[in-house]
Amino acid sequence: MGDDMKHSEMRKSNSLEVFRAVLNGHNTIQCLIENLNIGHTTIEKICTSLVDKRILSSYKEIKDTCGRPEFKFSLCPSHYSAYIEENEQYFSCILIDANQYAIDRFDKQKFVYSVPLDEVIKRISDTLRQRDDFDAFCRGIFIDCSDESAKYLPSDFTRISKYEFIANAMRNDNEISIFEFPDKCIINVYGNLINTDARVRGIQHVFPNATVYTIKKPFYEEIFASLQRITLKEIENLI
């Protein structure tokens, strides 16, 4: 049992190394061999397994005049996460894929034809679940909503505050940083997030070497980047 566990952990560790290396542009077997301390046969097996799991995509490229093809690997873009934002009159939903592209968006109006709030939220959920790729590729559903709406959320909806969502996804656990929003700041102290009403100048008296990230409304660029990072983390959990 102990040896099996060690082999399983080693396979997972090696697979994560290969996956992260491909994300960093090392996209051929030879390139992976040169950059990782993993054997040729093991790398080939890992790449085949990750392609079979639809975590990586592969394609052939003719690399010389002899016509010999070379396999190249890339992140399978089909994985995505959904972000839902509640506004006064409607819910807006956007789907961001693993390459940070918007692949779909839709709105659901509130207070129309006497449709109750719980039914509106159910329709949002149904719209997402009716997608052919939902079961295989949806890595998370995140919603910034009111307390009233939160009462009706399905169990797989994760309620968030966009401020903490962005800071949590963008934080570097190896640094002290300040996320400066228009009306508040969040301090990251080596992975621990602290909300504060203090302004940047005051915080810098305590943390003079902190990296400052200034984030301006409407935050969409940061939200998209956060969704991508969370999607990649969830993909790693599948490895």
Side-chain angles (χ1 to χ4, degrees):
M1 181 69 72
D3 288 342
D4 289 343
M5 182 67 72
K6 288 180 181 179
H7 288 313
S8 177
E9 290 174 354
M10 181 62 71
R11 283 196 299 271
K12 183 176 179 66
S13 177
N14 287 340
S15 297
L16 285 171
E17 279 197 65
V18 169
F19 175 71
R20 291 165 181 166
V22 170
L23 293 185
N24 288 324
H26 306 303
N27 61 354
T28 66
I29 297 292
Q30 186 58 41
C31 193
L32 290 166
I33 292 170
E34 292 170 359
N35 286 275
L36 300 176
N37 187 28
I38 304 174
H40 183 283
T41 301
T42 299
I43 286 179
E44 283 192 333
K45 288 181 178 179
I46 289 171
C47 288
T48 299
S49 174
L50 294 179
V51 170
D52 289 344
K53 291 179 179 179
R54 296 188 287 185
I55 290 173
L56 294 181
S57 298
S58 68
Y59 60 97
K60 290 181 181 179
E61 183 178 85
I62 304 300
K63 68 174 183 177
D64 56 37
T65 55
C66 297
R68 291 183 299 174
E70 179 179 56
F71 277 100
K72 289 196 171 183
F73 300 93
S74 62
L75 172 66
C76 177
S78 300
H79 301 266
Y80 63 90
S81 291
Y83 171 71
I84 305 164
E85 185 172 274
E86 181 177 7
N87 299 292
E88 187 175 343
Q89 298 296 326
Y90 61 92
F91 291 91
S92 181
C93 181
I94 189 162
L95 277 54
I96 302 297
D97 72 12
N99 288 322
Q100 205 181 135
Y101 292 115
I103 59 173
D104 196 8
R105 74 173 307 277
F106 62 87
D107 295 332
K108 294 291 184 184
Q109 284 190 292
K110 298 156 62 178
F111 317 119
V112 178
Y113 306 122
S114 300
V115 177
L117 185 58
D118 61 335
E119 178 61 25
V120 176
I121 293 173
K122 181 180 181 301
R123 291 180 182 183
I124 295 171
S125 179
D126 289 345
T127 299
L128 290 170
R129 294 174 206 287
Q130 286 164 6
R131 291 180 58 91
D132 291 339
D133 58 4
F134 179 82
D135 290 332
F137 292 112
C138 184
R139 303 275 70 89
I141 304 169
F142 304 92
I143 180 167
D144 187 354
C145 67
S146 65
D147 290 341
E148 179 67 19
S149 296
K151 295 187 294 187
Y152 304 115
L153 297 182
S155 60
D156 58 345
F157 278 45
T158 301
R159 188 188 182 190
I160 61 167
S161 159
K162 63 171 66 71
Y163 299 102
E164 285 81 6
F165 183 70
I166 292 169
N168 188 56
M170 293 180 63
R171 77 175 194 268
N172 183 337
D173 292 350
N174 297 315
E175 70 174 12
I176 297 176
S177 49
I178 304 167
F179 295 94
E180 181 188 20
F181 296 92
D183 52 356
K184 68 180 295 184
C185 288
I186 297 179
I187 309 168
N188 165 47
V189 182
Y190 302 118
N192 297 305
L193 299 181
I194 304 168
N195 283 272
T196 178
D197 293 327
R199 305 314 299 163
V200 168
R201 189 168 298 177
I203 299 170
Q204 287 177 318
H205 284 302
V206 181
F207 301 110
N209 297 319
T211 303
V212 178
Y213 300 94
T214 300
I215 301 169
K216 299 180 179 179
K217 288 183 177 180
F219 311 146
Y220 290 131
E221 182 177 338
E222 290 80 12
I223 288 171
F224 291 0
S226 299
L227 285 168
Q228 181 194 35
R229 292 187 185 192
I230 286 175
T231 298
L232 293 176
K233 287 181 181 178
E234 291 301 317
I235 292 172
E236 288 190 354
N237 290 335
L238 301 175
I239 293 175

